[in-house]
Amino acid sequence: MKAVIVGGTSGMGRAIARRLAERGDSTFLLGIGDDDLARSAADLQSRHPQRADTGSAICDLERPEQFAGALDAADNALHGFDAFIVTAAMFATQEALEADIELTRRLVTVNYANTVVLCELARKRLVARGGGRLVVFSSVAGDRGRKPVAIYGSSKAGIATYLEAMDHKFHAAGLSVLCVKPGFVKTAMTAGLTPPPFAGEPDDVAKTVVRAMDRGKPVLYVPGMWALVMLVIRWLPRFVMRRINF
Amino acid sequence: MANHDARAAHGIPQASSRPSSDAGARPAVVAPSAVSAADTPVLMGWGRLPAPGREVLGEDLVKLTKGAALTRGLGRSYGDSSLPARADDKVAATRMANRILRFDPATGVMRAEAGLSLVEINRIFIPRGWFSPVTPGTKFVTLGGMVASDIHGKNHHRDGCFGEHVRSLKMRLADDSVVECGPTALPDLFYATVGGMGLLGHILEVEFVLRPISSPWVWLESERVGNIAEYVAGLNRAAPVWPMTMGWIDCLSSGASLGRGILMAGRWATPDEAKIPPPRERLQVSLPVELPNWALNPVTARLFNTLFYWKHMDHHAAGLVAPDAFFYPLDAILEWNRGYGPRGFTQYQCVIPRRAGVEAVIEFMKLLTKFGGASPLCVIKDCGPEGKGLLSFPLEGTSIAVDMAVSPTIQHIVDRLNEFVIATGGRIYLTKDRFTRADHFRAMEPRLDAFLAAREKWDPQRRLRSAQSVRVFGDRA
Ligand SMILES: Cc1cc2nc3c(=O)[nH]c(=O)nc-3n(C[C@H](O)[C@H](O)[C@H](O)COP(=O)(O)OP(=O)(O)OC[C@H]3O[C@@H](n4cnc5c(N)ncnc54)[C@H](O)[C@@H]3O)c2cc1C
Ligand SMILES: NC(=O)c1ccc[n+]([C@@H]2O[C@H](COP(=O)([O-])OP(=O)(O)OC[C@H]3O[C@@H](n4cnc5c(N)ncnc54)[C@H](OP(=O)(O)O)[C@@H]3O)[C@@H](O)[C@H]2O)c1
């Protein structure tokens, strides 16, 4: 596989990039921060006995004018990528977003508008070469409009709908689309809290995501338990959702 | 999602200046931590005695350590070394800062972020024929923790501590500056940091040299020995011949069989000996619940020890073992520390100088047996000459480590053991310690003034501190 990873310097993106590099796939990182990208690329390189094939370029999701150049850099380095993975996104609490309209504008722009723009540019390149994989991280927060994640969740719902449509439209053209919906994954923000019984680890998420990519699965809840939880949440009537604070 | 809100509620700072999502941890590579009943966050060492405090986690150590009073890795130190002096001190947790920055297969030199764990290093590099020059008895430790405790392994008599294999450290100092130090660059800072329990600065990156290994298997020879004198003699005999020695003794037996045990000596197997496929990754099981306090009592401990002793049916055995089984037998059960129950436990580890003679070791074992600290584990190792780290633990002699459940008499027991150790000219290991008194530590540590002088130079305001530095060095709480 020749994979581009947007957000591969940290969290679940880092874990996915490592997994791919360790098994010998080529990787190329897009993100912000020269130094951070270089350090992550060096990490990936050391993880394979034959020096994993990897590189990186700047691509700020707040600066769409960088997108085409970043994709060119990836294409040049990988001689045509065949997988495009986006884990990068912004997060802010609902309170913070309600208090700051500029933050709201930035978050929905990055998580939805600009992610779609970047994916469209990548998708066209993939389809033109006969297909490939498009993998984007949505969230369980996008499955239902919910009070604590109202705005962030809506940006994740938008991206999930986009991915579903891409799957319908370009499956026959060889595009394999995967929409990943993480639930509670043990990361910096959950440190110090008592995790729920089925909280996930980034490495386990990476393992499941790479397996789902290999098998061409279209939607993935991680940890798997969230598929059941969200099944229930999706069926809750509106009058219940108005009352509860979940 | 509850976690998103909770982050704000707990005021957990983000690693990045922009609002972003969360960051990743490694599986099973977790620090012992908990939320107490009153929902005040607490931090714990491996011995599970909690202290109020909270750690900040993130991937960018340079940012994370700014203004921090202490850094911690995977919390495998037993006592209060990795716990904050005050609940509101900033404690930077390194385990997400775990990138390998450079590895040179021609020389074995690796440079990595301080939160990289030995689990990862082993997983990636044993199959490629490389191993850490020194490893402790658990692989769930970070590079930063290995330097800060100047850890020693089964090869101490031959290869010294981990610090001897470190070429350079990138550190954030108390004045927030970031510097590089090593045996030749700022050597006074370097040698105070090696074994300095995180009190000279936050280690951001570690450059050290991995060792080539001849195969992914270890050749182990083990021997059942009847008593402590035989045991120490066996260790001394094995030392010049074997690169790795160690053993386990039953501290609950007494009389003529005081200190009966199993003596082990090992080396990396040659390719000829190891003509079998590399060991497979072991299935990890974890102790699912905290056991009640009474689960581990003198009767169950004695039963365990007796079974362990007689399991070794043959007087002498030899063969191939996987590195995990050889180096990390305890890691087979994750979170085994919950076996001691909610009371928690500590480890008493001391080294008794060779010049005090085997009689001192026998006396010490008698003292232990007298106190009857029920323990299924008592590890005895041979230590080579003292290293250059100002507070590095080992000195030429016999190291004895024993786990003890915390009880109302624990302070009394530790005090008596310390008095004995002081009389022999020995000392205790800070990374295991929770109960040693400041005056006892001073009495056993002739190098203390040099260490305190280094702190005075690099951190005159004592911005860097831990619960342990308050207890042992008299820092303000
Ligand atoms: C089962 C078991 C077996 C063990 N066997 C051995 C053994 O054989 N030999 C041996 O020597 N030790 C042994 N240990 C002890 C262990 O190796 C040390 O306590 C080690 O320091 C733990 O590493 P950590 O990353 O968990 O550090 P922590 O426990 O988190 O921290 C330990 C100390 O290091 C400091 N520190 C950690 N990271 C940094 C950093 N980046 N910058 C500055 N300071 C830092 C902390 O402030 C603290 O003082 C054992 C422990 C266990 C649980
Ligand atoms: N962890 C969870 O519980 C959880 C739950 C549901 C959904 N998710 C989703 O899963 C995905 C991965 O999350 P994670 O936990 O792995 O988070 P993470 O480690 O914070 O990763 C997010 C990445 O996005 C990057 N990023 C932010 N803004 C950017 C921009 N403008 N341009 C380019 N990159 C940008 C960040 O870069 P910097 O670090 O440089 O800022 C970071 O590398 C995200 O889409 C998240 O919304 C996570």
Side-chain angles (χ1 to χ4, degrees):
Chain A
M1 199 183 296
K2 296 187 280 183
V4 177
I5 303 130
V6 191
T9 52
S10 67
M12 293 184 255
R14 177 185 281 192
I16 292 172
R18 282 176 171 174
R19 199 161 178 89
L20 293 175
E22 281 175 18
R23 70 175 200 178
D25 291 325
S26 305
T27 53
F28 193 86
L29 304 176
L30 295 182
I32 39 187
D34 274 329
D35 188 45
D36 203 30
L37 286 165
R39 292 166 74 92
S40 282
D43 176 61
L44 295 179
Q45 239 164 35
S46 314
R47 282 170 182 268
H48 194 271
Q50 275 82 47
R51 270 180 93 78
D53 182 20
T54 187
S56 67
I58 292 277
C59 178
D60 186 342
L61 278 170
E62 294 200 71
R63 304 190 51 191
E65 70 277 11
Q66 296 176 345
F67 293 178
L71 293 179
D72 285 344
D75 261 340
N76 284 338
L78 299 174
H79 308 292
F81 58 84
D82 58 17
F84 194 76
I85 305 168
V86 186
T87 60
M90 280 172 66
F91 175 78
T93 61
Q94 182 59 18
E95 301 79 79
L97 290 164
E98 284 178 18
D100 183 348
I101 197 68
E102 172 57 16
L103 183 62
T104 299
R105 188 197 61 74
R106 282 179 60 204
L107 183 137
V108 293
T109 307
V110 164
N111 289 9
Y112 179 66
N114 289 354
T115 299
V116 169
V117 170
L118 180 60
C119 288
E120 277 297 276
L121 293 173
R123 192 267 304 158
K124 284 178 188 160
R125 293 184 188 216
L126 290 173
V127 171
R129 310 174 181 138
R133 293 179 179 77
L134 177 64
V135 182
V136 185
F137 275 55
S138 171
S139 167
V140 294
D143 270 14
R144 191 78 204 263
R146 291 193 281 120
K147 291 176 190 174
V149 285
I151 293 169
Y152 167 80
S154 75
S155 74
K156 291 295 186 183
I159 207 71
T161 305
Y162 162 75
L163 291 170
E164 184 185 354
M166 287 301 107
D167 178 36
H168 296 166
K169 187 156 182 204
F170 294 105
H171 188 77
L175 190 72
S176 159
V177 178
L178 172 60
C179 174
V180 184
K181 299 184 177 186
F184 189 110
V185 178
K186 274 195 227 159
T187 60
M189 71 175 175
T190 56
L193 305 173
T194 324
F198 41 87
E201 300 280 356
D203 271 15
D204 296 334
V205 171
K207 197 167 161 184
T208 328
V209 169
V210 170
R211 198 189 307 125
M213 284 173 73
D214 290 341
R215 293 185 183 166
K217 216 176 153 170
V219 179
L220 180 69
Y221 286 88
V222 281
M225 191 67 183
W226 280 95
L228 290 175
V229 175
M230 295 320 292
L231 187 70
V232 175
I233 301 291
R234 278 201 304 277
W235 284 96
L236 284 181
R238 192 174 282 260
F239 74 88
V240 177
M241 291 300 284
R242 280 190 183 139
R243 240 157 252 169
I244 61 175
N245 282 316
F246 178 75
Chain B
M1 277 177 297
N3 51 348
H4 289 160
D5 289 330
R7 179 196 220 167
H10 283 69
I12 298 169
Q14 301 180 351
S16 118
S17 56
R18 60 179 70 211
S20 75
S21 184
D22 39 320
R26 312 297 291 161
V29 184
V30 289
S33 63
V35 177
S36 74
D39 207 33
T40 48
V42 296
L43 293 171
M44 313 192 286
W46 190 241
R48 305 191 80 232
L49 280 180
R54 176 186 297 138
E55 52 184 26
V56 289
L57 269 158
E59 276 125 342
D60 186 342
L61 269 194
V62 179
K63 268 185 203 161
L64 210 62
T65 52
K66 210 167 165 40
L70 190 68
T71 311
R72 78 196 300 247
L74 281 162
R76 256 38 175 208
S77 49
Y78 278 67
D80 48 9
S81 320
S82 73
L83 306 182
R86 295 165 49 123
D88 55 358
D89 274 354
K90 181 175 175 187
V91 182
T94 61
R95 58 188 184 270
M96 288 180 186
N98 56 11
R99 287 181 286 205
I100 302 166
L101 302 174
R102 200 167 347 114
F103 175 70
D104 180 356
T107 58
V109 173
M110 174 187 281
R111 190 177 179 93
E113 293 173 338
L116 181 67
S117 72
L118 204 48
V119 194
E120 278 286 277
I121 297 176
N122 289 353
R123 185 179 66 78
I124 299 167
F125 288 94
I126 291 179
R128 283 155 75 171
W130 296 95
F131 192 65
S132 176
V134 177
T135 176
T138 174
K139 59 184 169 173
F140 296 104
V141 291
T142 62
L143 287 177
M146 289 165 75
V147 174
S149 300
D150 199 18
I151 57 102
H152 60 275
K154 306 181 197 322
N155 56 347
H156 186 267
H157 60 285
R158 200 165 273 199
D159 300 314
C161 289
F162 187 70
E164 277 184 39
H165 308 270
V166 174
R167 305 205 331 175
S168 194
L169 298 173
K170 185 173 173 182
M171 297 183 56
R172 181 190 279 287
L173 303 180
D175 66 2
D176 268 346
S177 63
V178 174
V179 302
E180 190 80 26
C181 69
T184 50
L186 303 177
D188 64 324
L189 174 65
F190 179 74
Y191 287 115
T193 302
V194 167
M197 307 313 291
L199 299 173
L200 270 294
H202 311 284
I203 302 164
L204 308 175
E205 291 173 14
V206 179
E207 188 173 305
F208 68 109
V209 194
L210 288 171
R211 282 278 176 88
I213 50 175
S214 40
S215 80
W217 289 94
V218 171
W219 183 265
L220 167 72
E221 295 198 7
S222 55
E223 197 181 330
R224 188 152 50 91
V225 282
N227 62 56
I228 184 72
E230 233 182 83
Y231 188 98
V232 174
L235 268 181
N236 290 340
R237 254 197 326 276
V241 199
W242 291 87
M244 301 182 277
T245 58
M246 117 288 342
W248 164 94
I249 71 161
D250 174 0
C251 340
L252 301 176
S253 55
S254 51
S257 63
L258 173 77
R260 64 174 180 177
I262 317 282
L263 185 67
M264 291 174 249
R267 57 172 168 77
W268 289 95
T270 63
D272 276 347
E273 287 163 343
K275 277 193 178 124
I276 48 172
R280 277 191 294 169
E281 239 173 84
R282 218 169 21 171
L283 197 69
Q284 294 279 15
V285 291
S286 118
L287 196 59
V289 290
E290 181 174 70
L291 295 183
N293 282 338
W294 51 261
L296 196 64
N297 59 42
V299 178
T300 52
R302 190 156 291 156
L303 191 69
F304 179 95
N305 286 1
T306 303
L307 286 175
F308 201 96
Y309 184 70
W310 290 110
K311 192 182 117 195
H312 205 277
M313 284 305 285
D314 301 323
H315 198 68
H316 184 93
L320 291 178
V321 290
D324 269 351
F326 180 70
F327 293 106
Y328 318 114
L330 289 169
D331 287 349
I333 301 173
L334 299 172
E335 303 187 82
W336 60 263
N337 56 342
R338 300 208 262 182
Y340 279 90
R343 63 193 161 169
F345 69 111
T346 186
Q347 184 174 89
Y348 188 86
Q349 181 169 6
C350 63
V351 55
I352 293 178
R354 184 99 63 235
R355 64 187 134 77
V358 69
E359 303 75 35
V361 178
I362 295 172
E363 278 309 305
F364 183 83
M365 295 309 300
K366 280 189 186 151
L367 206 56
L368 267 187
T369 319
K370 189 178 116 198
F371 288 127
S375 171
L377 192 87
C378 183
V379 176
I380 301 217
K381 277 188 283 211
D382 199 33
C383 288
E386 181 175 284
K388 282 193 188 168
L390 285 186
L391 284 192
S392 180
F393 161 70
L395 55 75
E396 183 127 30
T398 307
S399 148
I400 305 165
V402 56
D403 286 2
M404 295 188 284
V406 170
S407 71
T409 55
I410 189 77
Q411 184 67 53
H412 174 78
I413 296 176
V414 171
D415 287 347
R416 295 295 85 76
L417 295 176
N418 278 343
E419 281 157 11
F420 182 90
V421 170
I422 291 167
T424 68
R427 57 180 174 240
I428 57 106
Y429 193 7
L430 284 178
T431 208
K432 309 285 178 80
D433 182 57
R434 175 97 186 200
F435 295 100
T436 292
R437 298 179 190 280
D439 54 326
H440 280 162
F441 190 74
R442 171 161 280 286
M444 56 180 74
E445 194 45 89
R447 304 166 301 175
L448 184 58
D449 286 329
F451 178 73
L452 295 180
R455 283 189 85 198
E456 186 60 32
K457 174 174 174 192
W458 296 101
D459 181 14
Q461 276 143 15
R462 302 289 190 276
R463 292 209 174 115
L464 302 177
R465 56 200 185 153
S466 62
Q468 186 167 62
S469 80
V470 171
R471 174 169 60 83
V472 179
F473 305 123
D475 291 352
R476 85 200 120 83

